[in-house]
Amino acid sequence: MIDLRKISKDYVDDENITTALKDVSFKIEKGEFVSIMGPSGSGKSTLLHILSLFDRQTNGDYFFNGENTASLSDEQLARLRNKTMGFVFQAFNLLGRSPVFENVELPLLYSDVPKEKRREIVMRSIEAVGLTHKTNTISGKLSGGEKQRVAIARALVNDPELIFADEPTGNLDSRSGAQVMSILNDLNEKGKTIILVTHETYTARFAKRLIQLKDGELVNDEIVKDRRNAKDEFIK
């Protein structure tokens, strides 16, 4: 699915050049659950922006599903992103005064899905995160864990191949965080590719594979041997 070849990213400010990524190369196969980890300033946010097609690399090649993204226009990248990718953020990014249903429905308003089909899709996504009983609840009245589950439901409505989870448990207590990681694990077991970006070792080890960055360089890429089980952690 993803093939990065010597990806570098430089930021230019006046005459100063800051290198955020340097010669990063790796592949991610369809159906993997990968955690990208690193301290502040390691380049993981820059890498996330490139992987999710919100930014372009300075050097190197990024192939997505076999296609070199450098050959695509900004409009084509946006279309590819909307069709194949879903996003879950630390800050939830919900409309606080709108009900759960409307928040989850939002991505479909920019698609060609017929109105009569939307409700079925939205309700299926809400059910997938266990919030059917909160469908008409104003999002601002939900707990942090519930808000993040709504954000996951919203990420699912376009049936993406790939879900990016950017620090998804950063604003949650351990119990709510385990619930969120359990949902992501279940989605992976159903075939979704998950890319988790985090600075927390504890959260990173819910994934099956760990990629570590330091000072813009890839320093480790390994299978997680002592992988945590989100459901077991929640039960504890």
Side-chain angles (χ1 to χ4, degrees):
M1 174 179 278
I2 287 174
D3 183 0
L4 297 187
R5 303 179 185 178
K6 292 187 175 297
I7 293 292
S8 295
K9 179 64 178 182
D10 296 330
Y11 293 101
V12 180
D13 182 12
D14 295 328
E15 297 181 356
N16 299 315
I17 299 177
T18 301
T19 299
L21 292 174
K22 182 179 179 182
D23 293 337
V24 174
S25 299
F26 60 80
K27 296 180 181 181
I28 295 178
E29 302 295 336
K30 182 176 176 61
E32 284 199 79
F33 189 162
V34 179
S35 176
I36 297 175
M37 185 182 177
S40 178
S42 63
K44 63 183 186 297
S45 293
T46 299
L47 179 59
L48 171 63
H49 292 155
I50 291 173
L51 288 173
S52 56
L53 307 177
F54 281 108
D55 199 2
R56 295 179 186 263
Q57 65 274 18
T58 304
N59 293 298
D61 294 301
Y62 173 17
F63 291 85
F64 186 82
N65 284 338
E67 186 170 24
N68 194 333
T69 59
S71 65
L72 303 177
S73 66
D74 289 344
E75 182 178 346
Q76 289 173 316
L77 289 178
R79 190 178 304 117
L80 179 62
R81 182 172 57 247
N82 293 337
K83 182 179 179 181
T84 63
M85 300 176 182
F87 300 89
V88 181
F89 303 99
Q90 178 179 351
F92 316 132
N93 293 346
L94 301 180
L95 301 175
R97 297 183 179 180
S98 299
V100 168
F101 184 93
E102 291 182 10
N103 271 282
V104 176
E105 182 187 31
L106 192 60
L108 295 178
L109 300 180
Y110 303 96
S111 71
D112 56 1
V113 177
K115 185 175 181 179
E116 58 272 15
K117 184 72 173 176
R118 288 180 198 162
R119 181 169 182 82
E120 176 187 342
I121 296 173
V122 171
M123 292 306 299
R124 187 165 60 241
S125 295
I126 293 174
E127 181 181 2
V129 299
L131 286 178
T132 303
H133 62 296
K134 298 283 187 177
T135 299
N136 297 313
T137 301
I138 298 301
S139 296
K141 296 182 178 181
L142 300 175
S143 68
E146 288 170 337
K147 289 177 181 177
Q148 195 59 291
R149 286 154 66 186
V150 173
I152 294 173
R154 181 183 57 195
L156 291 175
V157 291
N158 282 329
D159 193 24
E161 301 175 42
L162 169 62
I163 295 175
F164 289 99
D166 185 11
E167 303 281 5
T169 63
N171 286 333
L172 305 179
D173 58 43
S174 58
R175 182 182 178 91
S176 298
Q179 285 182 311
V180 166
M181 295 309 301
S182 181
I183 292 171
L184 292 175
N185 184 71
D186 287 345
L187 291 172
N188 177 246
E189 293 298 325
K190 293 175 182 177
K192 299 293 184 186
T193 305
I194 310 289
I195 297 180
L196 169 70
V197 178
T198 183
H199 69 279
E200 300 173 337
T201 302
Y202 179 86
T203 304
R205 293 199 172 277
F206 282 105
K208 298 175 182 176
R209 177 181 167 197
L210 175 62
I211 291 174
Q212 291 179 290
L213 299 177
K214 182 179 180 180
D215 298 329
E217 298 186 69
L218 192 155
V219 295
N220 189 40
D221 185 351
E222 64 178 356
I223 301 299
V224 179
K225 296 179 181 178
D226 58 339
R227 184 179 180 233
R228 296 187 183 279
N229 185 300
K231 291 180 180 179
D232 290 345
E233 295 293 333
F234 176 60
I235 291 172
K236 292 178 183 179

